[in-house]
């Protein structure tokens, strides 16, 4: 059974940085795209970033380009999201997700999801 566990969330001030981690277990994820989504208060869940199976291709939402960096470590079955220059509008529950795909970096229709980690950015 696939399990995704996020960590690293917290309360920070605008301009600060945070690094989210997601540990995946239950199978080998080398053919899976790994991604991050978020859901802010009163908002729908939205795509944040994703990385392909090899780590050679990434994709970002326009709202986080230049501030967030996604990376993965296949030896550890882990994906990370380095978030810099955080803004109050980045406040959300952040979810890790995986999708079996060796073509492209999709922004939707992911197969498995974690429980989420709260990120709160104060102004």
């Amino acid at each position: 059974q696939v399990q995704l566990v996020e960590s690293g969330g917290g309360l920070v001030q605008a301009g600060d940085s945070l690094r989210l981690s997601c540990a995946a277990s239950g199978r080998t994820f080398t053919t899976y795209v790994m991604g991050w989504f978020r859901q802010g208060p009163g908002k729908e869940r939205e795509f944040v970033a994703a990385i392909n199976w090899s780590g050679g291709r990434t994709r970002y939402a326009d709202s986080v380009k230049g501030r967030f960096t996604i990376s993965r470590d296949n030896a550890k079955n882990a994906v990370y999201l380095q978030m810099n220059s955080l803004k109050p509008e980045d406040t959300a529950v952040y979810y890790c997700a995986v999708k079996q795909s060796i073509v492209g970096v999709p922004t939707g229709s992911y197969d498995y999801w974690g429980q989420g980690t709260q990120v709160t950015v104060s102004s």
Side-chain angles (χ1 to χ4, degrees):
Q1 184 173 345
V2 174
Q3 187 173 19
L4 304 174
V5 180
E6 303 96 335
S7 61
L11 172 63
V12 297
Q13 293 186 330
D16 286 351
S17 298
L18 274 178
R19 187 184 190 227
L20 304 184
S21 299
C22 173
S25 61
R27 61 187 60 185
T28 301
F29 292 92
T30 51
T31 59
Y32 281 70
V33 172
M34 305 183 85
W36 288 95
F37 292 75
R38 68 185 182 186
Q39 187 167 16
K43 299 180 180 179
E44 294 186 354
R45 188 167 58 191
E46 63 177 356
F47 169 79
V48 175
I51 187 167
N52 77 328
W53 65 275
S54 70
R57 291 184 62 186
T58 57
R59 194 167 182 177
Y60 296 92
D62 288 343
S63 59
V64 306
K65 279 181 183 176
R67 300 188 298 122
F68 291 10
T69 303
I70 189 170
S71 61
R72 68 187 289 169
D73 184 337
N74 284 342
K76 297 182 178 179
N77 278 347
V79 62
Y80 309 98
L81 187 67
Q82 177 66 43
M83 305 186 296
N84 298 331
S85 302
L86 283 162
K87 304 175 181 179
E89 51 263 44
D90 294 319
T91 294
V93 177
Y94 283 72
Y95 298 91
C96 171
V98 298
K99 175 180 176 63
Q100 188 166 25
S101 174
I102 59 172
V103 178
V105 187
T107 61
S109 301
Y110 277 62
D111 301 317
Y112 301 99
W113 295 82
Q115 293 299 307
T117 185
Q118 177 71 47
V119 172
T120 303
V121 184
S122 64
S123 57

